[in-house]
């Protein structure tokens, strides 16, 4: 039994970094081992760095915060594990320059993951570290694809009275680096994904084998769509919500908005109240405030 606990903890730490792309020391501690002292997480990360599995950069601002990321060797090793085989792990993130250029957005995505993980722990729901899967590729034809910032798996606890229903959500984290119109265009892309039926050369649909939307190969229901807004104040958030509402009006004739809950909320509200609080606004009726897991 020597080293079993250390080995399992190291494995989880590497798996999280390979999947999340990068995280600060504090974020890694909160994801993998919030019940122990942060010094233990620091020692674990330092050991993985000595073994060549992870590396770090130091941000000149924010008190010289250390940002950890997997090495090429670490990504290669993690990709061979059964729990990671079907994940598309990003290999370019193992380059320090790529990490530095992507650090703002990726750390915000990691912080959004923690909002859901920590809320699930408080509520007695089930959302494990590897239930947050960044950048899952979904083709929509013509060489195009929808790649959400993350796919979330979340099982509600028995206290919710629904026998532990499994929820799935596509999460888009918007840091106000693109105009409201480009953000709204993502809603159209998800509508395309909802209706996309791939064509198979030489094969025609029949009554016995009708053509099915591609997403049905992965999900029993189309995941909810959550837009998390950051990098702007209340006025900017309202502008972006209005753009999403306008896009929703353009899509009103499509079944997508009838079948799929599409909600938006500022990250600041999630950090303050938790994502299970009624802080989410439906894009079709932003005057409402609802809970993401129980609406409609």
């Amino acid at each position: 039994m020597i080293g079993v606990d250390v080995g399992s903890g190291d494995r989880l730490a590497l798996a999280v970094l390979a999947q999340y792309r990068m995280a600060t020391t504090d974020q890694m501690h909160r994801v993998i081992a919030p019940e122990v002292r942060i010094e233990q997480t620091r020692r674990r990360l330092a050991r993985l760095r000595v073994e060549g599995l992870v590396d770090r950069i130091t941000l000149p601002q924010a008190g010289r915060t250390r940002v950890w990321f997997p090495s090429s060797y670490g990504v290669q090793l993690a990709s061979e594990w059964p729990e990671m085989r079907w994940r598309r792990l990003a290999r370019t993130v193992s380059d320090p320059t790529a990490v530095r250029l992507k650090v703002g957005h990726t750390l915000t995505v990691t912080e959004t993951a923690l909002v859901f993980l920590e809320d699930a722990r408080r509520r007695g729901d089930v959302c494990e570290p590897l239930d947050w899967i960044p950048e899952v590729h979904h083709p929509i034809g013509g060489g195009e694809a929808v790649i959400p910032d993350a796919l979330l798996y979340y099982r509600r606890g028995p206290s919710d009275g629904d026998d532990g229903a499994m929820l799935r959500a596509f999460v888009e984290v918007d840091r106000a680096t693109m105009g409201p119109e480009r953000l709204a265009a993502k809603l159209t892309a998800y509508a395309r994904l909802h209706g996309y039926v791939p064509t198979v050369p030489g094969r025609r649909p029949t009554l016995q084998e009708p053509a099915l939307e591609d997403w049905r190969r992965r999900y029993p229901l189309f995941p909810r769509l959550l837009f998390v807004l950051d990098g702007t104040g209340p006025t900017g958030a309202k502008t972006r919500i209005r753009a999403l509402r306008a896009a929703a009006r353009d899509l009103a004739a499509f079944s997508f908005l009838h079948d799929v809950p599409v909600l938006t909320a500022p990250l600041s509200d999630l950090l303050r109240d938790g994502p299970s609080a009624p802080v989410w606004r439906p894009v079709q009726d932003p005057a409402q405030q609802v809970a993401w897991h129980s609406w409609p």
Side-chain angles (χ1 to χ4, degrees), residues 2-275:
I2 295 176
V4 170
D5 291 338
V6 172
S8 62
D10 288 355
R11 182 181 177 115
L12 177 60
L14 179 57
V16 165
L17 273 182
Q19 187 160 296
Y20 286 38
R21 279 48 169 169
M22 64 187 79
T24 66
T25 305
D26 176 69
Q27 287 176 332
M28 281 296 295
H29 178 65
R30 290 159 58 201
V31 171
I32 66 173
E35 71 284 355
V36 303
R37 293 169 60 87
I38 194 171
E39 286 76 11
Q40 294 187 38
T41 299
R42 291 194 181 103
R43 288 196 295 269
R44 187 181 303 283
L45 292 169
R47 181 169 60 249
L48 292 174
R49 187 176 184 227
V50 169
E51 293 170 347
L53 295 168
V54 307
D55 205 346
R56 72 187 186 207
I57 62 170
T58 302
L59 301 181
Q61 69 276 20
R64 297 184 61 79
T65 298
R66 288 177 173 174
V67 178
W68 297 87
F69 58 95
S71 67
S72 297
Y73 172 46
V75 171
Q76 178 184 353
L77 180 62
S79 66
E80 297 171 355
W81 296 340
E83 65 269 32
M84 307 289 284
R85 276 187 193 140
W86 69 280
R87 316 279 168 93
R88 291 167 60 110
L89 302 182
R91 301 181 186 279
T92 56
V93 81
S94 59
D95 174 70
T97 300
V99 171
R100 180 175 58 82
L101 294 175
K102 296 180 179 180
V103 69
H105 179 76
T106 308
L107 289 184
T108 304
V109 173
T110 299
E111 191 64 27
T112 305
L114 274 158
V115 164
F116 287 95
L117 289 173
E118 293 177 334
D119 194 55
R121 291 166 182 165
R122 287 191 297 267
R123 292 171 51 84
D125 296 343
V126 179
C127 184
E128 301 296 340
L130 297 183
D131 288 335
W132 178 270
I133 312 172
E135 300 180 7
V136 180
H137 187 274
H138 298 80
I140 55 176
E144 298 181 76
V146 170
I147 306 175
D149 284 320
L151 168 64
L152 169 68
Y153 285 88
Y154 190 103
R155 185 175 295 279
R156 298 181 66 181
S159 61
D160 289 312
D162 55 7
D163 297 321
M166 171 60 78
L167 303 176
R168 300 165 190 82
F170 293 131
V171 183
E172 289 286 349
V173 179
D174 172 60
R175 298 182 64 242
T177 56
M178 63 178 70
E181 293 77 12
R182 287 185 60 194
L183 172 65
K186 291 189 175 185
L187 194 58
T188 304
Y190 279 98
R192 287 180 60 189
L193 173 61
H194 184 258
Y196 171 61
V197 178
T199 57
V200 180
R203 181 179 175 184
R204 294 184 178 180
T206 65
L207 290 176
Q208 291 74 26
E209 294 187 42
L212 295 176
E213 295 86 353
D214 191 59
W215 62 265
R216 295 185 187 276
R217 298 186 301 110
R218 306 189 191 194
Y219 314 111
L221 295 173
F222 196 91
R224 296 161 186 260
L225 177 53
L226 308 178
F227 286 93
V228 177
L229 307 179
D230 191 37
T232 182
T235 301
K238 290 179 181 178
T239 298
R240 305 180 88 71
I241 291 171
R242 282 198 298 268
L244 287 167
R245 184 184 183 188
R249 283 198 296 265
D250 293 340
L251 294 170
F254 293 81
S255 63
F256 170 64
L257 288 174
H258 298 285
D259 298 341
V260 181
V262 182
L263 308 170
T264 182
L267 178 58
S268 58
D269 288 358
L270 306 186
L271 292 169
R272 184 190 65 232
D273 300 325

